[in-house]
Amino acid sequence: MLKLQHTRSEFCIKGGVITRRGALFFIFMGILSILFAQEDVTVNGVTLITKVFPEGEKACAVVIEYPVEIDGQKLSPDQFSVKVKTSDTYSSRTITKVYANNSGDLSFSIFNNRGKYVVLELSTEDLHSNTIVFGPNFLNTRVKLDYIVSQLVPIFDVDGNEVEPFTSKQTDEKHLIIDDFLAFTFKDPETGVEIPYRLFVPKDVNPDRKYPLVVFLHGAGERGTDNYLQVAGNRGAVVWAQPRYQVVHPCFVLAPQCPPNSSWSTLFTDRKNPFNPEKPLLAVIKIIRKLLDEYNIDENRIYITGLSMGGYGTWSAIMNFPELFAAAIPICGGGDVSKVERIKDIPIWVFHAEDDPVVPVENSRVLVKKLAEIGGKVRYTEYEKGFMEKHGWDPHGSWIPAYESQEVVEWLFEQSR
């Protein structure tokens, strides 16, 4: 029988006697055991995977890391639950495929469906799959991703042992291709304008070789200071960094981000002449020249492309700095018709949708017509009325089919000054 003995405000423990300090220790250990019982101890991590699709970045998978190899052949979607926080509640995501591997990549092999990583692929058609929401004043925002992942029933490791259910919030995020871009900020010493920018550097750069540079100018919605929206809002930057294109056309990719209250051209500040370069675009030109000094970039193969506000910026860039660019792909933008003579010798492929409700298609038509009249190297693709909506796209988004075209990619890399 335990006997409590008080000595100098403490409880001593000798033989069967318990002290106050000992009692506190047991209480503390009990609390810890309760806390740890509530924590996820069956998995090492839960990583949320995002990818930039034609319509923008979406959360497309969850990768669960277990401490043991899981038998993937005995897995099924109904064994798991994935929920995302929306407003004040959690909404279910649709699991389309489940498998296991030892890489943690989104790669399934029917011959080796086992490993410490279990991949839950999610439907990109889910209402809450998007990570970016459209905001007022043409300024988009990326939502804070809050996911809860549950294993609902026991599953089996490769030795046939049961692995108990768990529930855990995501512990990490992985952004496919975006994470391969380096992040920098450039401050123009003359104007003081700060431009966040992302730079993709091709793998295994040969010091004896020079590589093309693709410059992407985003639209109004991706303006900001987070140095993320411009590579996540659409595929204008990441398309060139895709592994399947990098194998054939290794290149650098520059994706600057325009400050939130500005533009690439005078589009928002001078309605009478919206085509002159603004300070952010002048800073981008300086970034390009800086990169030419720092990396193995082929000065004869610098390409520029942009959409909407970035389409205006693309026209402005080539018209004011024609000596710098080997080719351009302006999409649903507009430019100064009086300056087309300056860009007569630059290969240009223009894209616009006939029923674009934001930027009038006439902006592109008049430039293409004038260039054709003076013998310019211009190509033009105009998506007829209804084409975009038939594919489920907003008619303003003519960059979606343009950047998905392998012909466009191949055409660009064929150009050289």
Side-chain angles (χ1 to χ4, degrees):
M1 178 175 178
L2 291 178
K3 180 180 179 182
L4 206 59
Q5 176 181 315
H6 184 267
T7 307
R8 293 193 308 270
S9 298
E10 289 188 356
F11 294 113
C12 297
I13 185 166
K14 290 183 180 179
V17 181
I18 189 169
T19 68
R20 173 186 291 178
R21 185 175 298 171
L24 291 175
F25 173 78
F26 289 128
I27 293 171
F28 176 70
M29 291 301 293
I31 293 172
L32 281 183
S33 66
I34 293 172
L35 289 175
F36 278 109
Q38 294 173 341
E39 290 289 322
D40 163 31
V41 295
T42 62
V43 296
N44 295 335
V46 177
T47 301
L48 183 65
I49 309 295
T50 74
K51 179 181 176 181
V52 183
F53 291 83
E55 303 84 2
E57 184 189 38
K58 298 184 179 187
C60 64
V62 169
V63 177
I64 306 166
E65 182 182 359
Y66 287 87
V68 294
E69 285 201 343
I70 301 298
D71 184 350
Q73 294 187 8
K74 296 180 180 178
L75 297 176
S76 63
D78 59 2
Q79 295 171 325
F80 298 87
S81 166
V82 177
K83 295 184 177 181
V84 56
K85 189 171 185 180
T86 55
S87 298
D88 296 326
T89 186
Y90 279 87
S91 301
S92 295
R93 292 293 311 273
T94 305
I95 302 172
T96 59
K97 193 173 184 179
V98 182
Y99 51 89
N101 59 40
N102 275 311
S103 66
D105 297 331
L106 307 190
S107 61
F108 168 71
S109 171
I110 193 172
F111 303 108
N112 193 26
N113 190 0
R114 55 183 288 169
K116 290 189 175 183
Y117 296 95
V118 169
V119 179
L120 312 178
E121 292 192 4
L122 307 175
S123 171
T124 56
E125 300 298 320
D126 284 350
L127 179 62
H128 302 295
S129 64
N130 294 329
T131 67
I132 296 172
V133 295
F134 299 106
N137 302 318
F138 294 102
L139 290 174
N140 303 333
T141 56
R142 187 177 191 268
V143 298
K144 185 180 184 301
L145 301 180
D146 184 350
Y147 273 69
I148 291 180
V149 179
S150 299
Q151 176 193 311
L152 303 174
V153 296
I155 60 175
F156 296 91
D157 66 15
V158 292
D159 295 322
N161 301 311
E162 283 193 355
V163 177
E164 293 302 311
F166 76 91
T167 293
S168 172
K169 284 196 171 188
Q170 79 216 48
T171 58
D172 198 7
E173 282 185 34
K174 182 178 180 181
H175 319 102
L176 301 182
I177 300 186
I178 289 179
D179 288 344
D180 297 329
F181 280 74
L182 304 174
F184 300 96
T185 299
F186 174 80
K187 185 172 184 178
D188 191 323
E190 296 179 15
T191 66
V193 170
E194 287 193 1
I195 301 292
Y197 69 93
R198 290 292 188 124
L199 180 68
F200 179 86
V201 179
K203 292 181 180 179
D204 304 320
V205 172
N206 184 340
D208 298 323
R209 178 183 174 186
K210 292 198 170 185
Y211 300 84
L213 168 67
V214 180
V215 182
F216 169 66
L217 302 181
H218 64 78
E222 289 73 51
R223 289 173 296 166
T225 59
D226 67 348
N227 210 0
Y228 192 88
L229 281 173
Q230 79 273 26
V231 288
N234 49 67
R235 286 170 54 79
V238 300
V239 62
W240 318 103
Q242 289 182 115
R244 68 187 181 107
Y245 288 141
Q246 281 289 317
V247 169
V248 184
H249 304 293
C251 68
F252 291 82
V253 184
L254 169 64
Q257 185 177 34
C258 186
N261 297 316
S262 190
S263 176
W264 301 122
S265 70
T266 50
L267 176 64
F268 301 140
T269 57
D270 187 353
R271 290 295 181 180
K272 292 183 178 179
N273 190 0
F275 309 123
N276 289 329
E278 280 277 24
K279 291 177 182 178
L281 183 58
L282 298 177
V284 170
I285 299 300
K286 292 177 182 177
I287 294 173
I288 294 172
R289 289 177 172 150
K290 176 175 174 287
L291 296 178
L292 281 170
D293 292 334
E294 296 175 349
Y295 294 94
N296 292 9
I297 294 173
D298 187 347
E299 61 184 11
N300 292 316
R301 298 182 70 197
I302 299 176
Y303 311 124
I304 187 166
T305 181
L307 57 92
S308 196
M309 185 187 85
Y312 281 87
T314 300
W315 285 111
S316 185
I318 60 177
M319 287 178 173
N320 289 279
F321 306 95
E323 76 288 348
L324 196 58
F325 299 101
I329 305 175
I331 304 174
C332 59
D336 191 341
V337 180
S338 68
K339 295 179 180 178
V340 293
E341 187 70 38
R342 300 182 184 181
I343 59 175
K344 174 184 174 182
D345 297 323
I346 299 178
I348 305 169
W349 195 340
V350 186
F351 289 85
H352 218 127
E354 180 185 3
D355 50 351
D356 188 324
V358 179
V359 180
V361 68
E362 193 62 27
N363 284 12
S364 291
R365 287 175 177 172
V366 68
L367 288 162
V368 170
K369 181 182 178 190
K370 189 64 175 179
L371 280 167
E373 288 175 354
I374 64 174
K377 299 178 179 178
V378 63
R379 295 181 64 170
Y380 183 45
T381 297
E382 181 177 302
Y383 300 110
E384 64 182 12
K385 185 177 181 179
F387 172 86
M388 298 293 294
E389 290 183 324
K390 187 174 86 172
H391 289 81
W393 303 322
D394 186 287
H396 181 50
S398 47
W399 57 84
I400 295 177
Y403 290 137
E404 292 307 296
S405 169
Q406 184 171 346
E407 182 185 4
V408 172
V409 174
E410 298 298 336
W411 173 87
L412 187 67
F413 287 113
E414 289 172 358
Q415 312 309 318
S416 181
R417 286 200 298 143

